[in-house]
Structures are given as C-alpha cells and as structure tokens.
Amino acid sequence: MMSLRIPDKVWIISVTKDNYDVCVKKGIIGMRFGGLARKVNVGDGIIFYIKGEMELRDLWRVRSEWVVQDEPLWPDEVMLRTAIYKYRAEIEPLIRSAVKVEELVNELSFIKLKNKWSIYFAGGLANLGKPIPRSDAEVIISRMRMSEMV
C-alpha cells in the first residue's frame, strides 16, 4: 500500500449522488457561496458525503483557485437552466473508496451528538463549515484504505 500524505486541512462536502458523479467525471467541485469557497484552499483535502446514501466517499485534493462560472454543470443546475454552484475549483483524486458513516460515528470526535450524527453533514460544507480534525481525517482515510484493498 502506497503511503499518502494527508492534506493539512480536510473538509467534508455534502452532495447528492448525481452531483458527486459530475464532480468525479469532470474533476470539479462547486460551491453555492463564495464565502464558503474561500475557506477551502489549494492543497486542501475534500471527502464527499453522499446525501441519501449516508456514505463518505473518496479523498480529493483541491488543485486550483476558485473561479466563478455561470454555465450549468450539475444535474440540478441543468434542470433549472441556471448555475447554482458558481464557485468552482479543480480537484484530483487521492483515494477512491467509500465507507458508511454509521460504521465510524463512534470514532469521530467532530460528531458530538452520536445519535444525531446527520446534523454534522448538513449544508454544502459539512461540520458547521469547519475542516474536520486531523485525527478524524486519519480514521476515515484508514477505513477507506481498508475497503480500497477489497
């Protein structure tokens, strides 16, 4: 197994499965608000939380600065014929794997209310708009690496 340098800051970004598929295919992440986008910098890590599947998926690294684009890209934007996630940055995959959140709840320190864990994944930038603690990133990534080998 190759060693991996975990980015200094790791964020969880909540997306629908359809929007996740576009992120992966195009290597782009989008944010609705510039204030949130400005928190996430080049070199930071992103783990996707897939809404409805209650799954943490992949570790990606932000490769570019944020740009504003008005072209509809994600399925919900295409349907509405308007850009919702105008703030966009290029991303590159570091790990492609998934783990169910329920398997990790008790090990993650940023989830204070274990029986209400889903509130920590609300909004585009989960964990109340803060990066997750490094220890939590390590727990998630080590679990992903275990399932990556299967």
Side-chain angles (χ1 to χ4, degrees):
M1 184 165 39
M2 213 172 76
S3 78
L4 168 75
R5 189 188 162 292
I6 298 172
D8 292 335
K9 279 190 193 168
V10 177
W11 304 84
I12 294 178
I13 296 186
S14 297
V15 296
T16 63
K17 171 69 169 70
D18 289 344
N19 286 359
Y20 162 82
D21 290 341
V22 172
C23 291
V24 169
K25 184 177 169 198
K26 304 255 186 197
I28 294 176
I29 185 70
M31 292 274 188
R32 188 179 294 234
F33 304 110
L36 290 181
R38 282 189 288 279
K39 290 182 172 192
V40 182
N41 298 304
V42 172
D44 285 0
I46 290 173
I47 294 172
F48 288 101
Y49 171 73
I50 310 301
K51 296 176 190 177
E53 298 192 10
M54 297 181 278
E55 203 170 70
L56 292 169
R57 207 175 281 181
D58 304 343
L59 173 65
W60 292 71
R61 181 184 299 123
V62 178
R63 291 175 31 140
S64 74
E65 298 292 337
W66 294 89
V67 295
V68 178
Q69 296 178 335
D70 290 321
E71 173 200 345
L73 186 61
W74 286 272
D76 47 351
E77 293 180 329
V78 171
M79 186 180 73
L80 295 170
R81 293 193 200 112
T82 187
I84 300 168
Y85 317 105
K86 293 181 180 190
Y87 300 89
R88 299 175 184 176
E90 294 174 15
I91 55 174
E92 63 185 344
L94 300 178
I95 296 175
R96 298 294 312 276
S97 184
V99 62
K100 290 287 187 191
V101 175
E102 288 134 329
E103 296 173 16
L104 296 173
V105 168
N106 292 323
E107 298 175 58
L108 298 175
S109 67
F110 79 92
I111 299 176
K112 307 288 186 227
L113 302 171
K114 304 298 186 189
N115 60 336
K116 295 185 180 181
W117 62 263
S118 64
I119 64 174
Y120 297 92
F121 296 95
L125 209 47
N127 189 29
L128 311 171
K130 297 181 292 207
I132 61 172
R134 183 162 190 87
S135 58
D136 289 346
E138 289 169 356
V139 166
I140 295 166
I141 290 163
S142 75
R143 192 66 59 89
M144 283 181 176
R145 299 219 63 178
M146 286 166 42
S147 62
E148 187 182 42
M149 295 186 293
V150 174

